[in-house]
Amino acid sequence: QVQLVESGGGLVQAGGSRGLSCAASGRTFRTYTRRWFRQAPGKEREFVATLSWNGITTVYADSLKGRFTISRDNAKNTVYLKMNSLKPEDTAVYYCAASQGSTRSPKEAYDYWGQGTQVTVSS
């Protein structure tokens, strides 16, 4: 059974940092593009960051550049999201996903999704 499992969510104060992990099992995602999305209450799921299979190409949502960093460890079949200088508006459920497409592929190209992890930023 293929699974993506996010971890690391929780409650953090504004200005703080948090690191998320997304561990995959059931198959290797070594050649897959990996992405983080998030969904705040009452809002659409939105793009956060994406990383190419070889770790060379990264793309971030404009509003998150400089605060969030996506990385991966293919040997561990895991992708990470480091979040710094968190703001209350970063409160959301964070999802990881995997796609055989490129870093420019739309959300619909992502075949594998995790169940999400809640990040709450208090003011």
Side-chain angles (χ1 to χ4, degrees), residues 65-119:
K65 286 180 183 176
R67 294 197 298 123
F68 286 21
T69 303
I70 187 172
S71 61
R72 67 192 296 162
D73 184 338
N74 283 341
K76 295 182 178 180
N77 223 10
T78 298
V79 66
Y80 306 95
L81 185 68
K82 182 63 185 300
M83 306 180 291
N84 296 322
S85 303
L86 283 163
K87 305 174 182 180
E89 51 264 42
D90 294 319
T91 294
V93 177
Y94 285 73
Y95 299 88
C96 68
S99 169
Q100 290 183 293
S102 74
T103 55
R104 291 173 290 180
S105 294
K107 182 173 61 178
E108 292 73 24
Y110 284 78
D111 300 313
Y112 299 97
W113 291 81
Q115 82 290 345
T117 186
Q118 174 72 47
V119 174

Side-chain angles (χ1 to χ4, degrees), residues 4-11 18-22 36-39 81 83 90-96 114-120:
L4 299 180
V5 179
E6 301 94 338
S7 61
L11 179 64
R18 199 80 180 181
L20 304 182
S21 299
C22 174
W36 287 94
F37 295 86
R38 69 183 184 183
Q39 188 167 16
L81 185 68
M83 306 180 291
D90 294 319
T91 294
V93 177
Y94 285 73
Y95 299 88
C96 68
Q115 82 290 345
T117 186
Q118 174 72 47
V119 174
T120 302

Side-chain angles (χ1 to χ4, degrees), residues 55-66:
I56 292 177
T57 303
T58 56
V59 182
Y60 294 93
D62 287 343
S63 62
L64 303 178
K65 286 180 183 176

